[in-house]
Amino acid sequence: DQQVKQNSPSLSVQEGRISILNCDYTNSMFDYFLWYKKYPAEGPTFLISISSIKDKNEDGRFTVFLNKSAKHLSLHIVPSQPGDSAVYFCAASDYRDDKIIFGKGTRLHILP
Amino acid sequence: DVKVTQSSRYLVKRTGEKVFLECVQDMDHENMFWYRQDPGLGLRLIYFSYDVKMKEKGDIPEGYSVSREKKERFSLILESASTNQTSMYLCASSLSTAYTEAFFGQGTRLTVV
């Protein structure tokens, strides 16, 4: 059973517009959430994170929103740029151990 | 700058071979992880180690074992490689404090023929 779900395998967005990537989780013990970006043939790189005591965290063009009651988080990228085309993974961990559980990923295509 | 280094970018092995994938990190991280990435399945945790000689199974440990004899090095072992183990293997490390990210290596693309 999947604890971290990314239900959209792919998303296409026009350059300059907002990209919104969604993630749902089932384990209510998760208290830390992360987003990673991955290019082909490279390892994932950390983008942004949020702890469960917050509902929003911003870093430049990237904002993550957390809705604990809905067990849902989203990553907003504004404005979208060509270099943002990549696979984005949502991940979560719980304070009782340090394992990080990943979703299946969403492939983002930024269209010119 | 954290560096996680995987010994090979690409490997081709024969069915039945014993395969070793090596990973080294230089930031004195307590935690180390092995994941595999497959199309449509995302990143799945194979094994996790939180200290030297300590390990925990992840979601898909069958057919794999691990070794952590030194803090900086975490090895993934395919006891008898099979074609369904053809995949991208990713090593990561992190501190053992709460609310911290993991840092990944560049990945090893393993093909079992």
Side-chain angles (χ1 to χ4, degrees):
Chain A
D1 62 335
Q2 248 194 306
Q3 298 186 72
V4 178
K5 300 179 185 181
Q6 293 177 258
N7 292 320
S8 299
S10 68
L11 175 68
S12 295
V13 173
Q14 209 76 35
E15 183 179 352
R17 307 293 290 266
I18 183 170
S19 295
I20 300 176
L21 296 97
N22 293 303
C23 179
D24 297 293
Y25 61 96
T26 57
N27 185 344
S28 57
M29 302 304 293
F30 285 149
D31 63 346
Y32 187 59
F33 303 90
L34 311 94
W35 284 95
Y36 281 80
K37 174 179 179 179
K38 187 180 184 299
Y39 293 120
E42 292 184 14
T45 54
F46 170 73
L47 261 183
I48 191 168
S49 62
I50 188 166
S51 72
S52 58
I53 60 171
K54 292 185 165 185
D55 54 19
K56 178 182 172 181
N57 189 27
E58 270 183 274
D59 184 1
R61 297 187 298 117
F62 302 93
T63 303
V64 55
F65 295 92
L66 175 63
N67 181 334
K68 286 187 292 292
S69 60
K71 294 195 179 73
H72 176 83
L73 60 154
S74 60
L75 175 68
H76 292 212
I77 306 173
V78 185
S80 300
Q81 297 175 354
D84 296 330
S85 293
V87 177
Y88 289 79
F89 289 100
C90 174
S93 68
D94 112 35
Y95 70 92
R96 296 171 301 168
D97 68 36
D98 294 335
K99 287 184 205 171
I100 302 176
I101 306 301
F102 284 80
K104 292 185 177 182
T106 296
R107 183 175 299 279
L108 177 64
H109 301 269
I110 304 302
L111 307 170
Chain B
D1 227 19
V2 176
K3 195 142 187 209
V4 180
T5 304
Q6 296 182 228
S7 53
S8 306
R9 290 297 299 269
Y10 300 95
L11 271 181
V12 180
K13 296 292 181 181
R14 295 197 180 276
T15 302
E17 273 193 78
K18 191 168 186 174
V19 180
F20 293 85
L21 302 183
E22 307 286 346
C23 176
V24 177
Q25 50 95 3
D26 65 0
M27 284 303 290
D28 205 34
H29 285 173
E30 293 83 8
N31 298 326
M32 295 190 76
F33 309 81
W34 276 106
Y35 293 88
R36 62 179 279 180
Q37 183 196 3
D38 300 288
L41 297 176
L43 293 175
R44 293 180 293 167
L45 182 63
I46 305 171
Y47 266 99
F48 162 61
S49 169
Y50 52 92
D51 201 349
V52 175
K53 297 191 190 294
M54 307 304 288
K55 63 186 179 188
E56 277 189 27
K57 292 179 180 178
D59 297 323
I60 50 163
E62 297 79 18
Y64 303 95
S65 62
V66 289
S67 171
R68 189 148 179 221
E69 296 296 319
K70 293 186 177 181
K71 190 174 185 181
E72 67 271 18
R73 187 178 294 270
F74 192 34
S75 303
L76 180 70
I77 304 153
L78 285 66
E79 298 291 344
S80 177
S82 64
T83 54
N84 64 13
Q85 293 178 308
T86 292
S87 187
M88 168 71 91
Y89 289 88
L90 293 156
C91 175
S93 71
S94 72
L95 289 168
S96 66
T97 54
Y99 311 135
T100 184
E101 69 270 26
F103 296 86
F104 280 83
Q106 76 277 29
T108 296
R109 168 66 65 186
L110 173 67
T111 303
V112 182
V113 298

